[in-house]
Amino acid sequence: MGIDAAEVHDLISGRMRESGQMYTRGRRHLVELLAAAGRPATIAELLEAGPRLTQSSLYRNMVDLESVGIVQRVVGTDDLTRYELSEEIIGHHHHVVCTECGTVDDFVVPARAERSLDTAIAKALEDTGFVQTAHRLDVLGTCAACA
């Protein structure tokens, strides 16, 4: 994990316990696979990376981890659902989405640009009555492999 693994596992264990669920060895392995992926991963990619996982338990565990805010879904331009650890765990970031192959990758905007983006969004929403609590940015285009 590129993040402090012990802290992450403690956070997740506590959150699972609070929701009446167990942080099993299988769930722990799944969290480690998601962290190691470094970008949103499909079920097929996770099964390939963790061959001892079964598809049915992987889906069940994703539902449980998502229900307590540990995992979030990421939508691309294809029919595949991708998953990643929540921003609370891996930090605020955005996604680039290839419109050719469907690959989704993470990118981070410098803090100054984030503040400008928040200001621009607030200004655009000024007269709508909508109250912004956060934002997500997906940039669509063609990845290096498809270009």
Side-chain angles (χ1 to χ4, degrees):
M1 287 184 163
I3 46 188
D4 186 317
E7 280 183 34
V8 168
H9 290 305
D10 287 346
L11 169 78
I12 296 170
S13 180
R15 180 119 6 119
M16 297 299 286
R17 195 172 32 258
E18 287 170 6
S19 70
Q21 300 181 54
M22 294 178 54
Y23 189 39
T24 62
R25 187 174 26 233
R27 290 175 178 168
R28 183 181 180 99
H29 180 59
L30 181 53
V31 165
E32 290 170 351
L33 288 175
L34 285 167
R39 62 174 183 75
T42 64
I43 294 295
E45 290 169 334
L46 293 168
L47 287 169
E48 186 177 319
R52 68 177 191 222
L53 297 172
T54 63
Q55 189 168 347
S56 59
S57 67
L58 187 56
Y59 276 110
R60 276 193 309 274
N61 283 324
M62 282 299 191
V63 168
D64 292 341
L65 292 169
E66 187 177 15
S67 73
V68 296
I70 298 303
V71 169
Q72 61 191 28
R73 291 177 196 225
V74 177
V75 179
T77 57
D78 54 18
D79 293 335
L80 300 175
T81 300
R82 289 167 177 79
Y83 297 90
E84 69 181 358
L85 296 174
S86 69
E87 284 195 353
E88 178 184 359
I89 295 170
I90 60 174
H92 182 68
H93 63 281
H94 302 285
H95 299 109
V96 290
V97 181
C98 180
T99 56
E100 294 293 319
C101 69
T103 298
V104 179
D105 229 328
D106 294 345
F107 75 98
V108 176
V109 175
R112 184 173 178 188
E114 278 291 344
R115 288 190 298 277
S116 294
L117 186 56
D118 277 334
T119 300
I121 292 169
K123 187 164 181 63
L125 296 174
E126 210 165 54
D127 298 328
T128 67
F130 188 85
V131 179
Q132 174 188 349
T133 57
H135 71 264
R136 288 185 252 174
L137 175 64
D138 291 341
V139 178
L140 305 178
T142 308
C143 71
C146 292

